[in-house]
Amino acid sequence: MIVNTNIDYTYSVLEEDIKNLKSKYSFIETGIMGNSVLGKNLSYIKLGNGDNVVFYNGTHHGLEWITSVLLMKFIENFCEAFDKNKSIRGYNIKNIWDKSTIYIVPMVNPDGVDLVLNGIENVRFDYQRRLFKWNKGKKNFSDVWQANIRGVDLNHNYNASWRESKMSEVKNNIHGPGPTRYSGRFPESEPEAKAIADFTRFNNFNLVMALHSQGKEIFWNYRGMEPKTSREIAEKFSKVSGYEVSTPEGMASFSGYKDWFIEKYKRPGFTIEVGKGKNPLPISQFNEIYNDIEEMLLLASIITLQNSKGTS
């Protein structure tokens, strides 16, 4: 096995795993869809060659790096099953490969992840003073930092009620860059969010899924703009995962990636809050979380095909 699910999953570990997966499974496509503020690669992996194109991403938030490991292990298991012509949980992987294309960006916020896991000492010097200020003089970022290296919450940097997000900042005592919930100077101001939005615009996805932590919840709607099938799909995801179908409240209810996708494309978009506890969730929860969500990731790759045929 290539993906170690019992370690801190830094950017360098991710890049090494992608390289090794590509070496072992030459049939997958890997690439770079953009770069972070500090120049780290925003890598993607493509599985399948079908016309039904879906997109999964993880770790918009630095503390939520466990979602990167979950997606990478899914990629590895999917590749192994395809290579050996095996099924996973009753799903025919070769059939999914032929009918669907799954794009995965495991780590949207590599700068934030490395700040959380490696500490401020390993950040480029010109950012250190600003980061200390934004973190109110605290040296420890390991249990608070959701934002990117410029103190922008990437999942509030999309153009979906973005101005409302800015107004909510004042009400919530957020007055600039910091650990969480700062929406940036304008929508897609951050290279990471812009890269995800550009990737979405280019690939014309039928369904998207953003993994976050925590809460064991499935967020599926956005201000009535979602298609009628979204609730039905969310219920099916709930059935195979045990997660609750929920509606976000407060600042979590706008300017996120799935909100923007739903508003722009009127297609199914989901935020999946994996696991339960306090972020960052410990890697010791990996097996339980992965067992809960693996079938949901498989089902998401074909659910729009099933719905278009009127089947369950």
Side-chain angles (χ1 to χ4, degrees):
M1 288 294 177
I2 291 169
V3 180
N4 187 338
T5 61
N6 196 35
I7 58 172
D8 289 347
Y9 209 75
T10 62
Y11 166 75
S12 61
V13 173
L14 169 75
E15 288 291 283
E16 186 69 15
D17 282 354
I18 292 173
K19 183 181 74 174
N20 290 335
L21 284 172
K22 176 63 175 174
S23 177
K24 184 174 182 180
Y25 302 112
S26 59
F27 48 81
I28 67 172
E29 177 186 315
T30 62
I32 299 166
M33 45 146 268
N35 296 97
S36 70
V37 171
L38 296 180
K40 295 183 176 74
N41 295 334
L42 302 178
S43 298
Y44 72 84
I45 298 93
K46 173 178 172 277
L47 307 172
N49 292 309
D51 293 334
N52 176 52
V53 187
V54 301
F55 177 41
Y56 309 156
N57 61 65
T59 314
H60 267 82
H61 292 143
L63 287 185
E64 300 171 12
W65 56 267
I66 196 169
T67 59
S68 296
V69 201
L70 292 162
L71 288 171
M72 288 297 290
K73 179 52 71 172
F74 174 76
I75 292 165
E76 182 170 27
N77 289 352
F78 194 96
C79 288
E80 182 183 24
F82 179 78
D83 191 44
K84 296 180 178 179
N85 198 20
K86 291 183 176 180
S87 63
I88 302 176
R89 297 179 183 261
Y91 290 76
N92 184 316
I93 301 305
K94 282 194 178 294
N95 188 47
I96 293 176
W97 190 279
D98 290 339
K99 291 183 177 180
S100 297
T101 296
I102 308 170
Y103 282 100
I104 299 176
V105 174
M107 190 178 288
V108 177
N109 185 9
D111 296 345
V113 169
D114 279 0
L115 176 60
V116 166
L117 292 177
N118 296 333
I120 194 169
E121 299 82 4
N122 294 288
V123 175
R124 208 170 74 192
F125 184 75
D126 57 324
Y127 275 94
Q128 290 187 14
R129 180 178 291 184
R130 280 174 279 181
L131 285 163
F132 274 127
K133 178 184 176 182
W134 297 335
N135 203 33
K136 299 180 179 179
K138 298 174 184 176
K139 294 182 178 180
N140 182 22
F141 291 76
S142 65
D143 60 356
V144 296
W145 199 262
Q146 296 278 54
N148 75 347
I149 209 71
R150 291 201 293 221
V152 176
D153 188 321
L154 296 177
N155 206 43
H156 283 274
N157 195 226
Y158 295 95
N159 195 16
S161 303
W162 183 86
R163 291 188 182 280
E164 193 169 336
S165 184
K166 295 304 289 183
M167 289 188 287
S168 292
E169 288 175 14
V170 178
K171 297 175 185 176
N172 287 274
N173 201 31
I174 296 167
H175 302 290
T180 187
R181 299 293 172 89
Y182 174 61
S183 306
R185 294 180 296 112
F186 52 88
E188 297 178 33
S189 63
E190 303 311 291
E192 300 92 344
K194 187 176 189 310
I196 290 289
D198 285 345
F199 196 62
T200 303
R201 284 185 279 258
F202 181 78
N203 285 292
N204 196 30
F205 301 121
N206 293 323
L207 174 149
V208 303
M209 178 182 286
L211 297 192
H212 288 256
S213 64
Q214 50 75 43
K216 293 190 174 184
E217 293 178 292
I218 300 164
F219 297 140
W220 59 278
N221 65 326
Y222 179 66
R223 303 194 166 184
M225 299 180 189
E226 69 282 347
K228 293 180 180 179
T229 56
S230 290
R231 177 73 193 215
E232 178 188 345
I233 292 171
E235 296 285 359
K236 290 179 179 179
F237 287 166
S238 176
K239 186 175 180 180
V240 301
S241 65
Y243 284 17
E244 182 180 356
V245 176
S246 300
T247 299
E249 299 177 350
M251 289 190 76
S253 62
F254 39 68
S255 66
Y257 172 68
K258 72 100 169 127
D259 306 325
W260 171 79
F261 179 81
I262 289 171
E263 180 173 344
K264 184 171 178 63
Y265 295 99
K266 308 299 189 290
R267 296 174 186 168
F270 303 91
T271 296
I272 310 298
E273 296 283 356
V274 306
K276 210 153 195 178
K278 184 180 183 299
N279 285 327
L281 294 179
I283 196 64
S284 59
Q285 281 197 27
F286 176 87
N287 288 337
E288 176 188 345
I289 296 171
Y290 188 82
N291 186 60
D292 286 343
I293 72 166
E294 184 180 50
E295 186 170 357
M296 182 162 43
L297 293 170
L298 292 165
L299 180 58
S301 70
I302 56 172
I303 190 73
T304 56
L305 292 173
Q306 293 179 347
N307 278 23
S308 67
K309 293 176 182 178
T311 59
S312 61

